[in-house]
Amino acid sequence: MTYGNWLSRAHDELTRAQARLPSDSAVTLDDVGATVVARQRVYARLVKLVELVVGGQPARADIDRGTVDVALRMQAGDHTTRLYLGLTAAARSDRQAAPATAPICRVGRHLESAAEAIAVAGEILAGHAPPAREPLTPEGVAIRAGAGRKAGLADLAVLTTDMLAIDAGLPEWLSGSHRLAYGAFETVADEARWTSNGHLTEVVHQLIADAGDAPSLLHLLEPPPVLAGRRAISDGASALHSLVATRDWMHRNPGEVRVMHLAKATQAALAVSALASPGAVGADWRSWSAAAHAAGQLHGTPPHGPAAAQTARELDLVTRWVRPGPPRPGHVTSRGSRLEAINKLAAVLPSLSEVLRVATQTAARNRHFFVLGRRQLERVPRSLVYHAVARWCVAQPDDEQVYRLRSTLAAVGASALASTPSHLPRAAPRLAKLAFAAPVDAEPSQQAKGTIDRAAREVLPRPSRHDHSRR
């Protein structure tokens, strides 16, 4: 999805939040606090978007609200600076943060979804033109040169107008939600009155008028490709270390796993299983091929944060080592040692499939997947021509694409369990715990080999007659 799609989604979520204000009140005081925090998060991320579009901070961010009010009233500075000062003052809160709970009422949920959409739009911009760094793409160079700045600021002004409309009804919503809400959040109600009744409204209308019919060049901006962060993997031990590290990170952070991780992990597993020995554990290339195809049909949010991006790069490096392409002239490799290293990678695939299956469920619950819905005909203005426009929607956990990926990953785990020797089933949970508890700097091949040898030597007790009777 493009930068414009995410801004449109944020606008829709804010419009729904405004429509829910008169009818959907919060029940508990914690729910009111979570909604207030979601509102503050929307303003804070709009501030970051202004910095990314402009290429830095147009003004100081530590100015108090009284000074900002004077600057807005006296029309000091250009419209961009005044918008930045107003958003910064609206994002600042003197009240302590509420408990880190998700909002329950629909007003808070819509505000939270809008904040997430604005954050993803900011990630797309930062991927092309990161703050305080050189642009990474030709699009980033154009953004730093001022391309699409007027229309980009007008888009942010529209979102600010949506928030001002919400703030206009927020004090009444607070008083009608909980008997203690208005007293506990009196400063928030005062801030909402200041933003909705102040001179910030004039600033946003002036920014929209200044843009006029300027083309929205940023709307079609897509996430940049993931660039390699280090040199390629050169040996099987490094490939095994990278695959184990990425698996352990996804196991510890299932909520940070995105579609890109699922797609790259299934592609790496498909390459390993296709080149491993036929009798290797986890080398079921047919099941991994179905899983890779199912992961490729999904779309979603890009990785958020440096750790998530590094995990995607590591999976790319593993795949490139497994599929190196034609040999270079004068480059000699040992086929036997390479096959042994790929078989060691295949031994990681059963636990990787379980990690990916859990991460798929978590991502579907967190609404990180998007599917292409039915196409709708839209008429071009001043023309009789209609175009079929694709409509994207948030994937539900029971959607066909999500179910297909989960079922194929479950099939991979089932085939791996069927190919496991008969003396290992009871040791499998213990092996998984030891694998995930392994330090990153440890040698995974030595540790896994010793653990499997100890499990193979373990004599399992035969079931007693009492156990047969209970069954």
Side-chain angles (χ1 to χ4, degrees):
M1 295 179 68
T2 63
Y3 173 82
N5 293 135
W6 286 108
L7 291 190
S8 299
R9 182 184 174 190
H11 172 67
D12 295 339
E13 294 291 343
L14 293 177
T15 303
R16 296 188 185 101
Q18 180 187 355
R20 295 291 183 184
L21 276 175
S23 58
D24 192 0
S25 58
V27 178
T28 64
L29 198 60
D30 289 340
D31 194 17
V32 177
T35 303
V36 168
V37 171
R39 168 193 172 271
Q40 181 185 358
R41 190 175 291 123
V42 172
Y43 275 120
R45 290 176 178 177
L46 284 175
V47 170
K48 294 300 181 183
L49 267 188
V50 173
E51 295 177 359
L52 290 171
V53 171
V54 176
Q57 293 185 353
R60 292 175 53 184
D62 56 348
I63 302 177
D64 60 284
R65 198 179 76 178
T67 307
V68 172
D69 195 22
V70 173
L72 294 178
R73 186 171 63 253
M74 300 297 294
Q75 299 184 2
D78 58 358
H79 300 313
T80 304
T81 302
R82 296 167 65 199
L83 174 66
Y84 182 78
L85 290 175
L87 291 175
T88 304
R92 193 182 301 120
S93 177
D94 297 332
R95 190 183 181 278
Q96 294 182 355
T101 57
I104 300 175
C105 64
R106 283 177 287 188
V107 175
R109 291 206 303 265
H110 289 312
L111 286 174
E112 186 69 24
S113 299
E116 291 299 325
I118 296 172
V120 176
E123 289 290 333
I124 294 176
L125 278 185
H128 292 276
R133 289 174 54 191
E134 292 296 326
L136 302 178
T137 62
E139 294 86 350
V141 175
I143 293 172
R144 288 290 175 84
R149 179 171 298 180
K150 282 189 176 182
L153 291 174
D155 293 334
L156 303 185
V158 171
L159 296 179
T160 305
T161 304
D162 297 334
M163 285 302 300
L164 295 179
I166 293 174
D167 281 350
L170 190 64
E172 184 177 355
W173 181 83
L174 287 173
S175 61
S177 293
H178 193 275
R179 60 185 181 86
L180 300 177
Y182 193 85
F185 298 95
E186 186 177 359
T187 57
V188 177
D190 180 61
E191 293 169 0
R193 293 191 194 94
W194 177 81
T195 55
S196 58
N197 299 327
H199 296 273
L200 187 58
T201 305
E202 301 175 4
V203 175
V204 294
H205 287 315
Q206 189 63 43
L207 279 171
I208 296 173
D210 289 346
D213 297 332
S216 299
L217 301 179
L218 301 180
H219 276 194
L220 301 179
L221 198 65
E222 295 183 349
V226 178
L227 303 176
R230 63 180 180 89
R231 60 184 180 85
I233 294 176
S234 58
D235 54 77
S238 300
L240 182 60
H241 186 276
S242 296
L243 186 61
V244 170
T246 55
R247 180 206 60 184
D248 292 354
W249 183 88
M250 291 187 289
H251 172 69
R252 293 190 300 267
N253 307 278
E256 301 295 327
V257 178
R258 299 294 189 266
V259 173
M260 182 179 293
H261 298 116
L262 298 174
K264 293 183 180 299
T266 52
Q267 291 169 6
L270 173 60
V272 172
S273 60
L275 297 178
S277 300
V281 177
D284 183 9
W285 66 269
R286 291 181 178 85
S287 299
W288 279 113
S289 176
H293 179 73
Q297 299 300 314
L298 283 173
H299 300 268
T301 58
H304 181 71
Q310 180 63 28
T311 301
R313 287 193 290 266
E314 291 292 329
L315 291 171
D316 259 341
L317 294 176
V318 173
T319 306
R320 292 175 187 175
W321 182 84
V322 176
R323 300 183 300 188
R328 300 187 301 273
H331 185 68
V332 181
T333 57
S334 175
R335 186 173 182 180
S337 60
R338 180 176 177 82
L339 181 60
E340 181 182 359
I342 292 178
N343 289 339
K344 291 180 180 180
L345 291 175
V348 185
L349 299 186
S351 58
L352 178 64
S353 66
E354 178 62 19
V355 169
L356 294 179
R357 188 183 65 83
V358 174
T360 302
Q361 295 175 348
T362 305
R365 288 195 301 266
N366 294 340
R367 302 167 65 87
H368 289 313
F369 293 148
F370 303 95
V371 293
L372 188 62
R374 297 180 59 183
R375 294 180 177 268
Q376 298 179 358
L377 293 177
E378 286 190 1
R379 182 181 175 183
V380 179
R382 300 179 183 178
S383 174
L384 298 178
V385 180
Y386 287 79
H387 290 279
V389 180
R391 297 295 183 187
W392 291 90
C393 59
V394 179
Q396 302 298 325
D398 56 348
D399 279 352
E400 180 182 353
Q401 290 89 337
V402 181
Y403 174 78
R404 187 184 300 119
L405 178 58
R406 290 169 52 192
S407 61
T408 52
L409 290 173
V412 170
S415 62
L417 184 61
S419 62
T420 305
S422 58
H423 57 268
L424 286 182
R426 292 193 181 185
R430 189 164 63 254
L431 291 178
K433 289 183 179 180
L434 290 173
F436 291 130
V440 177
D441 297 333
E443 190 67 22
S445 58
Q446 297 291 338
Q447 185 173 4
K449 184 175 182 302
T451 308
I452 293 176
D453 292 341
R454 289 194 300 272
R457 292 194 300 267
E458 181 181 350
V459 180
L460 299 177
R462 295 183 177 180
S464 62
R465 185 177 304 174
H466 180 66
D467 292 335
H468 282 293
S469 63
R470 292 184 63 183
R471 294 181 183 175

